[in-house]
Amino acid sequence: MDVLVPLDGSDCSVRALKFAVDLARRFGGSLHVVHFSDHETDATDQILDRAEATLDEAGVEDDPELVLRGIEIRDADEVGKEILNLVEKEGYDHVVMGHHGGGVVDRAILGSAAQTVVRGETVPVTVVP
């Protein structure tokens, strides 16, 4: 099982990463961590560093794939579509991602990458609040 974990640096995405570590262990799967950004900054480095620290803390011995993917538009729906494209291209079996749990107004205005991925119905998706 290949598990994809998109990170945005939020606490819920770190909780999703911890959940994904456990899922991959239980099913003998491999972990793939991705962060989408329009360009690399100190913030993106901090997100990837936090992911590495979380994986070290969880005792993950193998280095999972940690990838920074460039994206021009950072709209949540576009990020969701990029995740779906990556799933299709790389053949991942499962996506685990965090969701901020914003209200109806937040989702209507900002959209939700998790919502886009779930509605894509390409692979099973676990959404961690």
PDB file of all heavy atoms in Angstrom, residues 25 55 59-64:
ATOM      1  N   ARG A  25       2.216   1.281   8.734  1.00  0.00           N
ATOM      2  CA  ARG A  25       2.814   0.197   9.522  1.00  0.00           C
ATOM      3  C   ARG A  25       1.885  -1.013   9.582  1.00  0.00           C
ATOM      4  O   ARG A  25       2.324  -2.148   9.416  1.00  0.00           O
ATOM      5  CB  ARG A  25       3.100   0.672  10.940  1.00  0.00           C
ATOM      6  CG  ARG A  25       4.364   1.425  11.068  1.00  0.00           C
ATOM      7  CD  ARG A  25       4.690   1.658  12.532  1.00  0.00           C
ATOM      8  NE  ARG A  25       5.940   2.386  12.617  1.00  0.00           N
ATOM      9  CZ  ARG A  25       6.159   3.379  13.456  1.00  0.00           C
ATOM     10  NH1 ARG A  25       5.233   3.753  14.317  1.00  0.00           N
ATOM     11  NH2 ARG A  25       7.321   3.992  13.470  1.00  0.00           N
ATOM     12  N   LEU A  55       8.203  12.232  11.791  1.00  0.00           N
ATOM     13  CA  LEU A  55       8.520  10.862  11.382  1.00  0.00           C
ATOM     14  C   LEU A  55       9.601  10.265  12.284  1.00  0.00           C
ATOM     15  O   LEU A  55       9.512   9.094  12.670  1.00  0.00           O
ATOM     16  CB  LEU A  55       8.957  10.840   9.920  1.00  0.00           C
ATOM     17  CG  LEU A  55       7.851  11.210   8.936  1.00  0.00           C
ATOM     18  CD1 LEU A  55       8.433  11.444   7.541  1.00  0.00           C
ATOM     19  CD2 LEU A  55       6.764  10.147   8.903  1.00  0.00           C
ATOM     20  N   GLY A  59       9.406   7.039  15.087  1.00  0.00           N
ATOM     21  CA  GLY A  59      10.295   5.891  14.912  1.00  0.00           C
ATOM     22  C   GLY A  59      10.315   5.322  13.520  1.00  0.00           C
ATOM     23  O   GLY A  59      10.636   4.153  13.324  1.00  0.00           O
ATOM     24  N   VAL A  60       9.980   6.144  12.537  1.00  0.00           N
ATOM     25  CA  VAL A  60      10.026   5.681  11.155  1.00  0.00           C
ATOM     26  C   VAL A  60      11.493   5.579  10.749  1.00  0.00           C
ATOM     27  O   VAL A  60      12.214   6.575  10.730  1.00  0.00           O
ATOM     28  CB  VAL A  60       9.261   6.646  10.220  1.00  0.00           C
ATOM     29  CG1 VAL A  60       9.436   6.240   8.768  1.00  0.00           C
ATOM     30  CG2 VAL A  60       7.796   6.701  10.599  1.00  0.00           C
ATOM     31  N   GLU A  61      11.923   4.357  10.486  1.00  0.00           N
ATOM     32  CA  GLU A  61      13.336   4.137  10.182  1.00  0.00           C
ATOM     33  C   GLU A  61      13.678   4.439   8.739  1.00  0.00           C
ATOM     34  O   GLU A  61      14.706   5.021   8.446  1.00  0.00           O
ATOM     35  CB  GLU A  61      13.714   2.693  10.539  1.00  0.00           C
ATOM     36  CG  GLU A  61      13.655   2.441  12.035  1.00  0.00           C
ATOM     37  CD  GLU A  61      13.973   1.010  12.389  1.00  0.00           C
ATOM     38  OE1 GLU A  61      14.466   0.269  11.517  1.00  0.00           O
ATOM     39  OE2 GLU A  61      13.729   0.637  13.546  1.00  0.00           O
ATOM     40  N   ASP A  62      12.813   4.012   7.832  1.00  0.00           N
ATOM     41  CA  ASP A  62      13.056   4.288   6.426  1.00  0.00           C
ATOM     42  C   ASP A  62      12.690   5.733   6.153  1.00  0.00           C
ATOM     43  O   ASP A  62      11.717   6.256   6.692  1.00  0.00           O
ATOM     44  CB  ASP A  62      12.204   3.389   5.527  1.00  0.00           C
ATOM     45  CG  ASP A  62      12.578   1.927   5.685  1.00  0.00           C
ATOM     46  OD1 ASP A  62      13.727   1.650   6.056  1.00  0.00           O
ATOM     47  OD2 ASP A  62      11.707   1.073   5.450  1.00  0.00           O
ATOM     48  N   ASP A  63      13.466   6.364   5.314  1.00  0.00           N
ATOM     49  CA  ASP A  63      13.136   7.733   4.950  1.00  0.00           C
ATOM     50  C   ASP A  63      12.029   7.714   3.908  1.00  0.00           C
ATOM     51  O   ASP A  63      12.230   7.249   2.789  1.00  0.00           O
ATOM     52  CB  ASP A  63      14.365   8.459   4.371  1.00  0.00           C
ATOM     53  CG  ASP A  63      15.407   8.748   5.424  1.00  0.00           C
ATOM     54  OD1 ASP A  63      15.020   8.908   6.597  1.00  0.00           O
ATOM     55  OD2 ASP A  63      16.595   8.814   5.076  1.00  0.00           O
ATOM     56  N   PRO A  64      10.846   8.209   4.271  1.00  0.00           N
ATOM     57  CA  PRO A  64       9.783   8.279   3.262  1.00  0.00           C
ATOM     58  C   PRO A  64      10.106   9.376   2.264  1.00  0.00           C
ATOM     59  O   PRO A  64      10.951  10.233   2.509  1.00  0.00           O
ATOM     60  CB  PRO A  64       8.539   8.625   4.070  1.00  0.00           C
ATOM     61  CG  PRO A  64       9.066   9.323   5.257  1.00  0.00           C
ATOM     62  CD  PRO A  64      10.416   8.745   5.542  1.00  0.00           C
TER      63      PRO A  64
END
